[in-house]
């Protein structure tokens, strides 16, 4: 069918500003998620000067920093990186749940999209597999998703051509 409006994000990071919030807890894993995210951003046209990296103590704190960065940091999207390992804490469900809920709420509160690169695994080994190991790098995936969402939202906020023509 023709004539419908279709919006697709590009992955072109040229001109965008991106924030990255990364948790120090399990930094063996999260430093690899960060490396993957930075590599992906730079491969998609972001220059280092347009990337802000914020370290926080643990995944529980990610959303608070992400929200402030979204509100005051002048960024087009925020990438959230952390690692919660079930075996390490009886608080797994709280920490992982609050991290995901908090990150999801960033866009509603600020209008800036935030993507979730917080691993939730049974073991550190499973996490390492997803931080540049045999299952890819979820930090890179979250970074690319942030570029796509920044582009989608930019397009949604641009008036449609017909509306622009009507209003001159
Ligand atoms: N934080 C994590 O990011 N991952 C974990 O696995 C974890 N464990 O196991 O407890 C963890 N805890 C710290 C938490 O995120 C907060 O920093 C802490 O509770 C202080 O608010």
């Amino acid at each position: 069918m023709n004539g419908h409006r279709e919006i697709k994000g590009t992955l072109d990071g040229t001109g965008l500003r991106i924030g990255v919030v990364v948790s120090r807890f399990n930094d063996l894993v999260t430093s690899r998620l960060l490396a993957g995210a930075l590599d992906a951003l730079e491969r998609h046209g972001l220059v280092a000067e347009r990337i802000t990296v914020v370290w926080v103590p643990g995944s529980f704190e990610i959303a608070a920093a992400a929200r402030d960065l979204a509100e005051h940091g002048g960024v087009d999207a925020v990438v959230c990186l952390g690692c919660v390992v079930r075996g390490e804490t009886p608080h797994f469900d709280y920490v992982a749940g609050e991290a995901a809920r908090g990150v999801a709420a960033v866009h509603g509160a600020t209008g800036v999209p935030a993507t979730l690169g917080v691993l939730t695994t049974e073991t550190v080994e499973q996490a390492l597999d997803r931080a540049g190991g045999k299952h890819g790098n979820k930090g890179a995936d979250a970074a690319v998703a942030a570029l796509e969402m920044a582009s989608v939202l930019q397009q949604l906020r641009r008036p449609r051509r017909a509306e622009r023509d009507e209003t001159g």
Side-chain angles (χ1 to χ4, degrees), residues 106-137:
V106 168
H107 176 251
T110 67
V112 175
T115 60
L116 188 66
V118 177
L119 296 175
T120 51
T121 59
E122 296 296 325
T123 65
V124 171
E125 191 188 356
Q126 287 171 350
L128 287 170
D129 286 344
R130 290 159 180 76
K134 65 183 177 201
H135 292 308
N137 189 312

Short mmCIF file of all heavy atoms in Angstrom, two decimals, residues 106-137:
data_model
loop_
_atom_site.label_atom_id
_atom_site.label_comp_id
_atom_site.label_asym_id
_atom_site.label_seq_id
_atom_site.Cartn_x
_atom_site.Cartn_y
_atom_site.Cartn_z
N VAL A 106 12.78 7.31 31.95
CA VAL A 106 13.55 8.51 31.59
C VAL A 106 12.89 9.25 30.44
O VAL A 106 12.71 10.47 30.47
CB VAL A 106 15.01 8.15 31.24
CG1 VAL A 106 15.73 9.33 30.59
CG2 VAL A 106 15.76 7.69 32.49
N HIS A 107 12.48 8.54 29.42
CA HIS A 107 11.90 9.21 28.26
C HIS A 107 10.61 9.95 28.63
O HIS A 107 10.40 11.10 28.23
CB HIS A 107 11.64 8.22 27.12
CG HIS A 107 10.95 8.88 25.97
ND1 HIS A 107 9.64 8.61 25.65
CD2 HIS A 107 11.36 9.83 25.11
CE1 HIS A 107 9.30 9.37 24.63
NE2 HIS A 107 10.32 10.11 24.28
N GLY A 108 9.75 9.28 29.41
CA GLY A 108 8.49 9.92 29.80
C GLY A 108 8.73 11.19 30.61
O GLY A 108 8.00 12.17 30.48
N ALA A 109 9.77 11.18 31.44
CA ALA A 109 10.03 12.33 32.31
C ALA A 109 10.75 13.46 31.59
O ALA A 109 10.61 14.62 31.97
CB ALA A 109 10.85 11.88 33.52
N THR A 110 11.52 13.14 30.57
CA THR A 110 12.41 14.16 29.99
C THR A 110 12.23 14.36 28.49
O THR A 110 12.73 15.36 27.94
CB THR A 110 13.90 13.77 30.22
OG1 THR A 110 14.18 12.59 29.44
CG2 THR A 110 14.19 13.50 31.68
N GLY A 111 11.63 13.40 27.80
CA GLY A 111 11.54 13.48 26.34
C GLY A 111 12.79 12.97 25.63
O GLY A 111 12.85 12.96 24.40
N VAL A 112 13.77 12.55 26.40
CA VAL A 112 15.02 12.03 25.82
C VAL A 112 15.00 10.51 25.95
O VAL A 112 14.79 9.99 27.05
CB VAL A 112 16.25 12.62 26.56
CG1 VAL A 112 17.55 12.00 26.04
CG2 VAL A 112 16.28 14.13 26.42
N PRO A 113 15.22 9.78 24.86
CA PRO A 113 15.18 8.32 24.96
C PRO A 113 16.39 7.76 25.71
O PRO A 113 17.49 8.30 25.62
CB PRO A 113 15.21 7.86 23.50
CG PRO A 113 15.90 8.96 22.76
CD PRO A 113 15.52 10.23 23.48
N ALA A 114 16.14 6.68 26.44
CA ALA A 114 17.23 6.00 27.15
C ALA A 114 17.15 4.52 26.80
O ALA A 114 16.05 3.95 26.77
CB ALA A 114 17.10 6.21 28.65
N THR A 115 18.26 3.90 26.50
CA THR A 115 18.25 2.49 26.12
C THR A 115 18.92 1.65 27.20
O THR A 115 19.78 2.12 27.95
CB THR A 115 18.93 2.26 24.76
OG1 THR A 115 20.28 2.70 24.82
CG2 THR A 115 18.20 3.01 23.66
N LEU A 116 18.50 0.38 27.24
CA LEU A 116 18.87 -0.49 28.36
C LEU A 116 19.95 -1.48 27.93
O LEU A 116 19.70 -2.43 27.18
CB LEU A 116 17.62 -1.25 28.81
CG LEU A 116 17.74 -2.09 30.08
CD1 LEU A 116 17.96 -1.20 31.29
CD2 LEU A 116 16.47 -2.93 30.28
N GLY A 117 21.14 -1.25 28.45
CA GLY A 117 22.23 -2.20 28.26
C GLY A 117 22.66 -2.73 29.62
O GLY A 117 23.85 -2.77 29.94
N VAL A 118 21.67 -3.08 30.42
CA VAL A 118 21.95 -3.65 31.76
C VAL A 118 21.77 -5.16 31.66
O VAL A 118 20.65 -5.65 31.46
CB VAL A 118 21.01 -3.05 32.83
CG1 VAL A 118 21.28 -3.70 34.19
CG2 VAL A 118 21.19 -1.53 32.91
N LEU A 119 22.86 -5.88 31.80
CA LEU A 119 22.79 -7.34 31.74
C LEU A 119 22.22 -7.89 33.02
O LEU A 119 22.54 -7.40 34.12
CB LEU A 119 24.20 -7.91 31.54
CG LEU A 119 24.92 -7.55 30.24
CD1 LEU A 119 26.34 -8.10 30.28
CD2 LEU A 119 24.16 -8.10 29.05
N THR A 120 21.37 -8.90 32.91
CA THR A 120 20.87 -9.62 34.09
C THR A 120 21.12 -11.10 33.82
O THR A 120 20.50 -11.69 32.95
CB THR A 120 19.38 -9.35 34.30
OG1 THR A 120 18.67 -9.60 33.08
CG2 THR A 120 19.11 -7.92 34.71
N THR A 121 22.07 -11.66 34.54
CA THR A 121 22.50 -13.03 34.26
C THR A 121 22.63 -13.83 35.55
O THR A 121 22.62 -13.28 36.65
CB THR A 121 23.86 -13.04 33.54
OG1 THR A 121 24.82 -12.39 34.37
CG2 THR A 121 23.80 -12.36 32.18
N GLU A 122 22.77 -15.14 35.37
CA GLU A 122 22.96 -16.02 36.52
C GLU A 122 24.41 -15.97 37.02
O GLU A 122 24.66 -16.10 38.21
CB GLU A 122 22.62 -17.47 36.13
CG GLU A 122 21.16 -17.70 35.75
CD GLU A 122 20.21 -17.46 36.91
OE1 GLU A 122 20.57 -17.75 38.08
OE2 GLU A 122 19.10 -16.95 36.65
N THR A 123 25.34 -15.82 36.10
CA THR A 123 26.77 -15.87 36.45
C THR A 123 27.54 -14.75 35.74
O THR A 123 27.07 -14.20 34.74
CB THR A 123 27.40 -17.21 35.99
OG1 THR A 123 27.36 -17.24 34.55
CG2 THR A 123 26.66 -18.41 36.55
N VAL A 124 28.74 -14.49 36.28
CA VAL A 124 29.61 -13.49 35.64
C VAL A 124 30.03 -13.99 34.26
O VAL A 124 30.14 -13.20 33.31
CB VAL A 124 30.85 -13.22 36.53
CG1 VAL A 124 31.87 -12.36 35.78
CG2 VAL A 124 30.44 -12.51 37.80
N GLU A 125 30.23 -15.29 34.13
CA GLU A 125 30.64 -15.84 32.83
C GLU A 125 29.60 -15.54 31.75
O GLU A 125 29.93 -15.14 30.64
CB GLU A 125 30.87 -17.34 32.97
CG GLU A 125 31.55 -17.93 31.75
CD GLU A 125 31.61 -19.45 31.78
OE1 GLU A 125 31.18 -20.05 32.79
OE2 GLU A 125 32.06 -20.02 30.78
N GLN A 126 28.32 -15.74 32.10
CA GLN A 126 27.26 -15.44 31.14
C GLN A 126 27.28 -13.95 30.77
O GLN A 126 27.00 -13.58 29.62
CB GLN A 126 25.88 -15.79 31.71
CG GLN A 126 25.60 -17.27 31.79
CD GLN A 126 24.33 -17.58 32.57
OE1 GLN A 126 23.74 -16.71 33.21
NE2 GLN A 126 23.91 -18.83 32.51
N ALA A 127 27.59 -13.13 31.75
CA ALA A 127 27.65 -11.69 31.48
C ALA A 127 28.82 -11.38 30.54
O ALA A 127 28.67 -10.61 29.58
CB ALA A 127 27.79 -10.92 32.79
N LEU A 128 29.97 -11.99 30.79
CA LEU A 128 31.14 -11.73 29.93
C LEU A 128 30.86 -12.18 28.49
O LEU A 128 31.32 -11.54 27.54
CB LEU A 128 32.37 -12.45 30.48
CG LEU A 128 32.96 -11.81 31.76
CD1 LEU A 128 34.01 -12.73 32.38
CD2 LEU A 128 33.55 -10.44 31.47
N ASP A 129 30.07 -13.27 28.35
CA ASP A 129 29.70 -13.72 27.00
C ASP A 129 28.93 -12.65 26.23
O ASP A 129 28.95 -12.62 25.00
CB ASP A 129 28.79 -14.96 27.08
CG ASP A 129 29.55 -16.21 27.47
OD1 ASP A 129 30.79 -16.21 27.39
OD2 ASP A 129 28.88 -17.20 27.87
N ARG A 130 28.23 -11.77 26.98
CA ARG A 130 27.40 -10.73 26.36
C ARG A 130 28.07 -9.35 26.39
O ARG A 130 27.46 -8.35 26.07
CB ARG A 130 26.05 -10.67 27.09
CG ARG A 130 25.21 -11.91 26.82
CD ARG A 130 24.13 -12.16 27.86
NE ARG A 130 23.36 -13.35 27.53
CZ ARG A 130 23.79 -14.62 27.71
NH1 ARG A 130 24.98 -14.86 28.23
NH2 ARG A 130 23.03 -15.64 27.37
N ALA A 131 29.31 -9.34 26.81
CA ALA A 131 30.06 -8.08 26.92
C ALA A 131 31.32 -8.17 26.04
O ALA A 131 32.43 -7.91 26.50
CB ALA A 131 30.41 -7.80 28.37
N GLY A 132 31.11 -8.61 24.82
CA GLY A 132 32.24 -8.75 23.90
C GLY A 132 32.68 -10.18 23.72
O GLY A 132 33.68 -10.45 23.07
N GLY A 133 31.94 -11.14 24.29
CA GLY A 133 32.26 -12.55 24.14
C GLY A 133 31.40 -13.20 23.07
O GLY A 133 31.00 -12.56 22.11
N LYS A 134 31.07 -14.48 23.29
CA LYS A 134 30.44 -15.24 22.20
C LYS A 134 29.01 -14.81 21.88
O LYS A 134 28.48 -15.19 20.83
CB LYS A 134 30.51 -16.74 22.49
CG LYS A 134 29.72 -17.22 23.67
CD LYS A 134 29.92 -18.71 23.89
CE LYS A 134 29.17 -19.17 25.13
NZ LYS A 134 29.68 -20.42 25.68
N HIS A 135 28.38 -14.05 22.76
CA HIS A 135 27.03 -13.56 22.45
C HIS A 135 27.01 -12.07 22.12
O HIS A 135 26.00 -11.39 22.31
CB HIS A 135 26.07 -13.86 23.61
CG HIS A 135 25.81 -15.32 23.80
ND1 HIS A 135 25.40 -16.15 22.79
CD2 HIS A 135 25.94 -16.11 24.89
CE1 HIS A 135 25.27 -17.39 23.24
NE2 HIS A 135 25.60 -17.39 24.51
N GLY A 136 28.12 -11.56 21.62
CA GLY A 136 28.14 -10.16 21.19
C GLY A 136 28.40 -9.20 22.32
O GLY A 136 28.91 -9.58 23.38
N ASN A 137 28.07 -7.93 22.07
CA ASN A 137 28.29 -6.91 23.09
C ASN A 137 27.01 -6.09 23.23
O ASN A 137 26.65 -5.31 22.34
CB ASN A 137 29.48 -6.02 22.72
CG ASN A 137 29.87 -5.10 23.86
OD1 ASN A 137 29.02 -4.45 24.46
ND2 ASN A 137 31.16 -5.06 24.17
#
